[in-house]
């Protein structure tokens, strides 16, 4: 459709039904921007375009030292295809540049790729402007498909992408994911990802304003893997609660690391271990019952059983998924001193009990602990 090797501004331009083919070429069916080209695209669309290689809708080229930049504002990238070649990637957009790519507003929808990145393939190296050199802001990415990895977004090793207030869901690939990240992913604001497959070579970095919900599929379920990390400051419970693991046998702990869940678990600090347990992991629906939390504190190798009533409970909360369950939405539910009353009207579902507390030792020192338990009402 368009080849740009200079400086180009498009306003209210609609590009459709363009295609490009070739064995060594065939990139950028709608628009191809060369190494140092500058493109500003304000309001418009790239629709129903195709390439036999990569970048069905848009392709940003780049070799070492390239200084090109692309700015999309309220652009719709729709129904484009990267087809034919077994390595055809980036059905909607392919970024292959150490330059800048910035997209604000708009949609990336219903694009397909034979290989990776149905919606967008991002091969962007970090620059001096680390978090904003390559970013999507307030972009909806939905309905895209990749035959291999990254239904919506594919981020290969050694690269990075920032997502700000983006909503990504309903995309498909061979991994069952919307986003496939093998590099550095930065999340801000209300960004939510239906399912994010990640190798966690680097953790997913979070800004303190994160509020969207994201579910992870780790490439390996290794306890202790750093899953999420704060860009600055420390992780808060509110930040951690925005994220979950697809396998309920695992959860993200207070330090942002992958932990194992069961009816009980263990939290180890510098000088002691607290083994905490629920007396049951299944509750019968329609019958009022209680769950009791017990703890065994081991200090210097000597275990000491501790009744829940002797623990100074700081926080005890019940969650269904990422939503807190309280007496206001399930009448009769109560939590007191580690004893949880499950009313007969509790809906059948899977739940998580979050506890954190401080135990005062006989010598007067205090030891903090926290953890998550899973239980079901069935």
């Amino acid at each position: 459709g368009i080849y740009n090797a200079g400086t180009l501004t498009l306003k209210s331009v609609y590009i459709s039904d363009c295609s490009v083919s070739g064995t060594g070429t065939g990139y950028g069916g709608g628009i191809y921007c060369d190494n140092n080209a500058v493109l500003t695209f304000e309001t418009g669309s790239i629709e129903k375009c195709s390439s036999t290689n990569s970048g069905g809708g848009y392709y940003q080229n780049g070799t070492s030292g390239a200084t090109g930049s692309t700015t999309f504002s309220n652009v719709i990238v729709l129904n484009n295809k990267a087809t034919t070649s077994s390595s055809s990637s980036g059905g909607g957009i392919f970024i292959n540049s150490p330059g800048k790519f910035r997209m604000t507003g708009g949609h990336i929808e219903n694009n397909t790729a034979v290989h990776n990145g149905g919606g967008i393939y991002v091969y962007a190296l970090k620059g001096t402007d680390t978090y904003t050199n390559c970013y999507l802001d307030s972009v909806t990415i939905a309905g895209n498909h990749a035959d291999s990895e990254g239904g919506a977004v594919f981020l290969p090793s050694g690269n990075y992408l920032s997502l700000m207030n983006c909503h990504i869901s309903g995309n498909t690939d061979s991994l069952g994911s919307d986003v496939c990240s093998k590099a550095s992913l930065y999340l801000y604001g209300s960004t939510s990802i239906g399912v994010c497959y990640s190798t966690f070579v680097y953790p997913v970095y979070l800004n303190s304003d994160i509020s969207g919900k994201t579910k992870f599929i780790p490439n390996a379920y290794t306890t202790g893997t750093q899953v999420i990390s704060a860009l600055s400051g420390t992780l808060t419970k509110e930040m951690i609660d925005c994220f979950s693991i697809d396998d309920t046998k695992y959860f993200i702990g207070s330090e942002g690391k992958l932990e194992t869940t069961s009816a009980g678990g263990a939290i180890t600090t510098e000088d002691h271990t607290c083994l905490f347990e629920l007396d049951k992991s299944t509750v019968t629906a329609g019958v009022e019952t209680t769950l009791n939390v017990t703890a065994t504190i081991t200090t210097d190798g000597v275990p000491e059983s501790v009744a829940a009533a002797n623990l100074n409970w700081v926080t005890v909360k019940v969650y269904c998924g990422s939503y807190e369950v309280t007496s206001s939405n399930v009448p009769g539910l109560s939590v007191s001193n580690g004893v949880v009353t499950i009313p007969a009207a509790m809906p059948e579902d899977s739940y998580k009990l979050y506890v954190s507390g401080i135990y005062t030792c006989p010598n007067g020192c205090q030891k903090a602990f926290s953890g998550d338990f899973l239980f079901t009402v069935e």
Side-chain angles (χ1 to χ4, degrees):
I2 294 176
Y3 172 84
N4 176 31
T7 299
L8 175 66
T9 298
L10 304 175
K11 294 184 178 181
S12 300
V13 174
Y14 301 87
I15 302 167
S16 66
D17 300 286
C18 299
S19 63
V20 63
S21 62
T23 303
T25 55
Y27 298 93
I31 303 175
Y32 181 104
C33 273
D34 220 334
N35 277 337
N36 300 318
V38 176
L39 173 66
T40 302
F41 193 172
E42 301 176 7
T43 309
S45 67
I46 305 173
E47 300 184 26
K48 295 183 289 184
C49 297
S50 65
S51 64
T52 54
N53 273 311
S54 297
Y58 176 73
Y59 188 93
Q60 179 172 317
N61 193 30
T63 56
S64 178
T67 58
S69 66
T70 298
T71 303
F72 280 8
S73 300
N74 298 314
V75 174
I76 296 173
V77 182
L78 178 68
N79 291 326
N80 302 286
K81 299 179 179 180
T83 64
T84 308
S85 169
S86 61
S87 61
S88 295
S89 298
I93 298 171
F94 190 104
I95 306 303
N96 183 25
S97 175
K100 296 181 179 180
F101 178 84
R102 299 174 176 179
M103 182 173 183
T104 303
H107 301 260
I108 303 173
E109 296 184 352
N110 301 331
N111 304 283
T112 59
V114 170
H115 194 43
N116 296 327
I120 179 170
Y121 183 110
V122 181
Y123 190 84
L125 302 176
K126 291 183 181 180
T128 54
D129 191 5
T130 304
Y131 310 128
T132 58
N133 208 37
C134 185
Y135 73 78
L136 307 178
D137 186 352
S138 304
V139 177
T140 298
I141 310 178
N144 302 282
H145 173 78
D147 288 354
S148 188
E149 300 177 352
V153 178
F154 182 79
L155 184 61
S157 177
N159 298 276
Y160 90 101
L161 174 66
S162 292
L163 297 173
M164 308 174 185
N165 305 310
C166 291
H167 302 284
I168 305 173
S169 64
N171 305 277
T172 56
D173 71 355
S174 63
L175 302 170
S177 71
D178 294 279
V179 173
C180 177
S181 174
K182 300 183 178 182
S184 299
L185 187 62
Y186 300 84
L187 304 183
Y188 299 77
S190 62
T191 291
S192 60
I193 302 173
V195 180
C196 178
Y197 172 91
S198 180
T199 59
F200 295 116
V201 174
Y202 300 100
V204 173
Y205 297 98
L206 313 177
N207 199 43
S208 59
D209 66 349
I210 190 70
S211 61
K213 306 296 182 181
T214 292
K215 179 181 288 186
F216 288 122
I217 299 178
N219 72 313
Y221 295 86
T222 304
T223 300
T225 298
Q226 192 74 45
V227 177
I228 55 177
S229 183
L231 274 172
S232 61
T234 58
L235 283 171
T236 64
K237 183 178 184 300
E238 288 72 23
M239 295 167 70
I240 295 171
D241 285 346
C242 291
F243 299 88
S244 61
I245 303 297
D246 71 309
D247 189 332
T248 56
K249 294 191 294 293
Y250 299 88
F251 70 99
I252 301 173
S254 59
E255 296 180 352
K257 297 179 180 180
L258 188 65
E259 304 291 348
T260 304
T261 61
S262 64
I267 295 293
T268 300
T269 61
E270 291 182 0
D271 54 359
H272 83 288
T273 296
C274 176
L275 175 67
F276 52 91
E277 297 177 299
L278 278 177
D279 61 347
K280 59 178 75 73
S281 60
T282 303
V283 175
T284 302
V287 179
E288 181 175 318
T289 187
T290 58
L291 294 173
N292 293 279
V293 180
T294 58
T296 300
I297 306 292
T298 300
T299 304
D300 297 327
V302 179
E304 176 190 1
S305 296
V306 182
N310 294 331
L311 295 169
N312 177 20
W313 294 98
V314 178
T315 303
V316 180
K317 293 184 178 181
V318 178
Y319 290 89
C320 182
S322 57
Y323 297 95
E324 184 179 357
V325 182
T326 66
S327 58
S328 63
N329 46 48
V330 178
L333 176 72
S334 68
V335 184
S336 177
N337 288 331
V339 178
V340 183
T341 301
I342 306 296
M346 191 81 162
E348 295 182 35
D349 214 326
S350 297
Y351 298 88
K352 177 179 75 174
L353 181 67
Y354 171 82
V355 298
S356 66
I358 297 176
Y359 169 64
T360 302
C361 301
N363 64 4
C365 69
Q366 292 187 322
K367 301 182 184 299
F369 62 92
S370 65
D372 293 271
F373 313 88
L374 294 182
F375 68 92
T376 58
V377 178
E378 59 183 35

